[in-house]
Amino acid sequence: PKSSIYQLLNLFGKIMFWKIKGEDEVRALYAAASTPPSLSYTIVRPGGLTEAASVGPAAIELNQGDRWSGRIARADVAEICVESIAYKDTQRVTMEAYYSDTRKPLQEVGLSNILKLKSSGADTRGSGKERRGQTWGQLFAGLSADTLIKQQDSV
């Protein structure tokens, strides 16, 4: 990722580099032939975290592919993590989570989050992977499972 926020956070001990490396390692573990299909993971990439109270699924947008970000309360991130356990659509999935009214292109999100700006709604371009819903089931419906690549054993 070439976004300014990614580069800024990497100045502090390569935070983003190590997050991505950790995600890749989780995916590699599940790609191993010995991993039972009944075991799964869900990787949630929250936008800028706030201390606000939970507002629930209707305010949240999920996306896949590192195109958008925004802000989201820690309480809603916790709910996403807990609720995702009950839905097959979240198995072996990586997703970004943020409030839809704070959505900005990833390249613009840093300053927007710091200033707590809302989205103007003018940028309606989508990736086709945005997910919104009134319930957790609707919000999670249609998420794409990660493509798992088996790592070669090093000699």
Side-chain angles (χ1 to χ4, degrees), residues 26-100:
V26 167
R27 288 185 204 97
L29 286 171
Y30 283 88
S34 60
T35 304
S38 61
L39 294 178
S40 189
Y41 66 87
T42 304
I43 297 172
V44 178
R45 295 173 170 170
L49 297 170
T50 73
E51 299 295 331
S54 172
V55 294
I60 297 170
E61 182 172 283
L62 302 178
N63 202 350
Q64 295 179 285
D66 283 331
R67 181 168 180 170
W68 305 102
S69 191
R71 289 183 312 284
I72 190 166
R74 286 178 167 84
D76 277 316
V77 174
E79 284 193 52
I80 290 168
C81 293
V82 171
E83 292 292 334
S84 71
I85 295 168
Y87 293 89
K88 291 207 179 286
D89 284 328
T90 61
Q91 292 181 349
R92 297 183 184 219
V93 162
T94 301
M95 62 182 146
E96 293 82 41
Y98 47 86
Y99 294 138
S100 60

Side-chain angles (χ1 to χ4, degrees), residues 64 89 91-94 129 131 140-147:
Q64 295 179 285
D89 284 328
Q91 292 181 349
R92 297 183 184 219
V93 162
T94 301
K129 295 187 176 190
R131 295 290 173 259
F140 296 145
L143 289 169
S144 299
D146 294 336
T147 302

